[in-house]
Amino acid sequence: MKYSFLALIFIVSFNDVHVYANEDTHVHTKMSDGSSIKVDQARFITFSEGLKQSKILVVSVKGMVCDFCARGIEKTFRRDPDLLKIDVDLNFGKVLMAYKANTKIDEDSIAMKIRDNGQEVVKIDTLQ
Amino acid sequence: MLYTIPPMGILKYVLLLFVFLSADCFARPVSYPGGYTFMFKSNSLRDTAYLHYSPTSRNAVGVEAVSDKVSNDDYVYLRYTRLLFRKNHQKSQGNLYLNTGISNDGFDNYFYGIEGDWETRRIFTGFGYKRTETDRIDIEEKYLLAGVAPYIGDYGDLHTWLMVKFKENSYAKTSSLYPVVKLFKGNTLIEFGYSDSSNWDIHLMYRF
């Protein structure tokens, strides 16, 4: 049994079943400052569906390599009553957040919360 | 030396807990700030049930109930874990932890150790060293762990790791290389491995 398992791991490693986000699936979304950011198209569309009168933030995060790493981020931000929706894109290392339109976004506070969770914010982009 | 799966006892309650708590994790010894973690581990040396609280993402304190198969004793550890080092990259993360615990049996009964890991979404590697000292016997345990994810799950999916673990302990004076499967979804993790020499190695975890 041990050797079959080792063989299975060997086969899997060398037949890399790639389900990583394919480059074809990304889209450059225009942000409020005129810059563009690479996000997963399907994911972004699903996330923004039904969101009216909101601010969408795309937070690029370093160190978010596993589902569990990101779970603390989600739990922390869900405590914020101004947050409408949150989603995590592990493939692109992004956290998508939708806030009520009148919310004053404090980027330093967002970066600190993510740092407290053990990851690092690279960039925060806002889509109005 | 022949060991058997810990039949009922702590295991019974842990399994019941998992039946009732069907939720969503990774085996990290420190959680997110304000997070609680319940862990059950069973191997050839001991069965343990451990509850810890993380006031920050670098510290965890907790209580661990131990059913010691070597001394046939039950005791409790007051534990502290410190994240000594973390390196974040865009596609990987590395961690180094210090684990310590002192038993209610007295200051002569304690353990300390380090654990480290480096992972991407495809590959996981880890190692650990633990030294347990009691008034009767001292035990050193070491392990190396490496694995691959056969598929890359999305956030919230069931994540699967196929791993190989090399483990040795100074009590049984054996070393073993055996397969380990790790499954996690959301806050729940199940890891199990089996070797001819040390039998079952089980780890269940729930975070809340």
Side-chain angles (χ1 to χ4, degrees):
Chain A
M1 180 201 168
K2 181 164 68 184
Y3 294 107
S4 357
F5 188 85
L6 292 174
L8 176 64
I9 288 181
F10 182 82
I11 291 164
V12 165
S13 309
F14 287 90
N15 289 285
D16 221 12
V17 192
H18 266 293
V19 210
Y20 268 121
N22 187 305
E23 288 298 303
D24 297 338
T25 66
H26 80 250
V27 63
H28 286 88
T29 297
K30 200 84 170 164
M31 306 311 287
S32 56
D33 63 358
S35 65
S36 69
I37 185 164
K38 192 165 76 172
V39 293
D40 183 289
Q41 185 175 23
R43 182 165 219 118
F44 189 80
I45 290 169
T46 306
F47 179 79
S48 50
E49 265 174 7
L51 285 174
K52 290 171 188 164
Q53 304 294 312
S54 63
K55 279 179 190 168
I56 295 179
L57 273 63
V58 181
V59 185
S60 304
V61 180
K62 263 201 316 190
M64 202 170 59
V65 294
C66 74
D67 193 302
F68 177 72
C69 314
R71 211 140 283 274
I73 295 176
E74 183 183 341
K75 290 193 179 183
T76 300
F77 284 97
R78 280 204 185 277
R79 294 178 194 141
D80 185 342
D82 289 329
L83 185 86
L84 298 171
K85 205 171 181 182
I86 185 166
D87 188 26
V88 173
D89 182 349
L90 293 172
N91 288 328
F92 283 93
K94 312 278 188 210
V95 179
L96 307 176
M97 294 193 274
Y99 280 92
K100 292 174 184 167
N102 58 355
T103 307
K104 189 174 180 324
I105 302 297
D106 182 346
E107 293 192 1
D108 290 341
S109 164
I110 290 171
M112 193 172 72
K113 282 177 182 167
I114 290 177
R115 194 169 54 244
D116 286 348
N117 194 67
Q119 289 82 34
E120 292 167 45
V121 168
V122 178
K123 195 179 175 206
I124 300 178
D125 293 287
T126 308
L127 182 71
Q128 294 279 6
Chain B
M1 188 164 288
L2 192 65
Y3 297 100
T4 54
I5 306 174
M8 290 289 113
I10 296 175
L11 181 59
K12 176 173 67 182
Y13 298 103
V14 172
L15 291 175
L16 281 172
L17 182 72
F18 271 76
V19 167
F20 289 109
L21 297 174
S22 57
D24 300 279
C25 104
F26 221 114
R28 292 188 187 285
V30 178
S31 184
Y32 52 82
Y36 288 87
T37 303
F38 176 77
M39 289 190 205
F40 169 80
K41 285 186 181 181
S42 177
N43 58 34
S44 58
L45 298 175
R46 60 187 80 87
D47 295 337
T48 65
Y50 175 37
L51 178 69
H52 76 66
Y53 171 73
S54 296
T56 71
S57 64
R58 287 193 165 263
N59 300 285
V61 289
V63 176
E64 182 176 37
V66 181
S67 173
D68 194 317
K69 297 176 186 173
V70 176
S71 63
N72 288 319
D73 254 356
D74 293 333
Y75 48 88
V76 172
Y77 279 126
L78 181 62
R79 291 187 51 161
Y80 171 67
T81 303
R82 168 84 184 167
L83 171 64
L84 297 172
F85 174 81
R86 170 168 286 167
K87 187 69 184 169
N88 288 313
H89 292 282
Q90 199 60 48
K91 301 274 184 190
S92 67
Q93 188 184 69
N95 298 291
L96 187 65
Y97 299 93
L98 169 72
N99 294 309
T100 59
I102 187 160
S103 155
N104 64 328
D105 276 353
F107 290 113
D108 291 338
N109 298 330
Y110 60 90
F111 76 85
Y112 57 87
I114 55 168
E115 273 183 283
D117 61 64
W118 177 84
E119 64 180 291
T120 68
R121 297 198 66 208
R122 172 71 66 189
I123 296 166
F124 180 91
T125 59
F127 72 93
Y129 169 85
K130 181 180 180 183
R131 182 174 176 85
T132 306
E133 303 214 357
T134 70
D135 43 16
R136 288 179 292 277
I137 191 169
D138 299 337
I139 298 174
E140 278 190 346
E141 296 160 77
K142 300 165 196 164
Y143 74 81
L144 292 170
L145 183 64
V148 294
Y151 60 92
I152 305 292
D154 209 343
Y155 187 61
D157 286 351
L158 171 71
H159 298 266
T160 303
W161 288 86
L162 305 177
M163 312 179 101
V164 179
K165 192 170 191 176
F166 172 78
K167 191 169 80 169
E168 62 180 35
N169 77 65
S170 61
Y171 174 72
K173 293 188 173 58
T174 57
S175 49
S176 43
L177 179 71
Y178 55 98
V180 172
V181 175
K182 182 182 292 200
L183 305 166
F184 69 94
K185 179 173 167 56
N187 294 319
T188 305
L189 175 145
I190 297 173
E191 179 183 312
F192 52 93
Y194 181 84
S195 78
D196 295 338
S197 57
S198 54
N199 291 100
W200 287 98
D201 194 346
I202 299 169
H203 181 194
L204 307 173
M205 186 164 95
Y206 179 75
R207 295 197 136 148
F208 48 103

